[in-house]
Amino acid sequence: LPGPEDSVPEARVVRLFDAVYTSWPEVAPDLLDRAGRVTAEMIVMQRVTARARLLLANMPWSMAAWLLARSVRQNSRAFSGSGIFSVQTAGSFVIFDNPLARPESGAAPSCHFHRALFEHMFQRLVHRDFACVETECRGAGGGCCAFRLTVGGATPEAHPR
């Protein structure tokens, strides 16, 4: 197994996700949701300094969301691989050519890992009530995988505090 500092080749990750969907289709969404949350927790605790966590926790959440979104974009290669990650707004992200999107997933969004990763990271670092939904999925026939973060229905860019 690779160490915590080592990158895992994208092809291995894609094979792992395919194996999860193929071997356990009924529990794959829950497994990948859990994997996204565990990954986010590892990032929060091992990659974000205590000082940065304190700073984000004590600023208005719309500003904290904007700063975290910038940081996520700068480190996106770690979770989007060869996909192209783009921050549309402080609460809206897109992954073009997401290598983990499953084209045969049907009509429902299938990027459970990424949705949970974004949701948990923003809950831990910005506001505990953040929710993330996948609004478009390449695996479900969309042009990209798009994610939207909200707190009580409000988006970070629309809320001053």
Side-chain angles (χ1 to χ4, degrees), residues 44-150:
V44 167
M45 297 311 294
Q46 294 183 11
R47 304 283 177 144
V48 180
T49 66
R51 187 175 185 174
R53 290 193 302 267
L54 184 63
L55 176 71
L56 290 168
N58 287 293
M59 64 175 46
W61 65 265
S62 56
M63 184 182 296
W66 179 81
L67 283 172
L68 184 55
R70 265 188 80 175
S71 179
V72 167
R73 180 185 45 132
Q74 291 169 344
N75 295 286
S76 64
R77 179 95 171 110
F79 60 82
S80 64
S82 63
I84 300 166
F85 181 83
S86 174
V87 175
Q88 305 297 299
T89 67
S92 179
F93 316 122
V94 175
I95 303 175
F96 296 97
D97 299 324
N98 184 354
L100 300 180
R102 295 182 46 84
E104 63 277 358
S105 71
S110 66
C111 300
H112 309 287
F113 173 83
H114 286 113
R115 188 205 57 76
L117 174 83
F118 299 140
E119 182 174 271
H120 190 71
M121 190 178 320
F122 277 76
Q123 285 173 344
R124 289 280 282 118
L125 294 170
V126 178
H127 194 293
R128 70 176 179 255
D129 294 332
F130 260 111
C132 182
V133 294
E134 187 176 10
T135 59
E136 184 177 356
C137 184
R138 181 173 170 234
C144 63
C145 298
F147 304 89
R148 184 139 197 88
L149 289 163
T150 60

Side-chain angles (χ1 to χ4, degrees), residues 13 16-21 24 27-39 100 102 110-117:
V13 176
L16 175 64
F17 274 60
D18 286 343
V20 168
Y21 275 109
W24 306 288
V27 296
D30 290 334
L31 285 172
L32 295 173
D33 180 278
R34 171 85 40 114
R37 290 177 189 285
V38 169
T39 301
L100 300 180
R102 295 182 46 84
S110 66
C111 300
H112 309 287
F113 173 83
H114 286 113
R115 188 205 57 76
L117 174 83

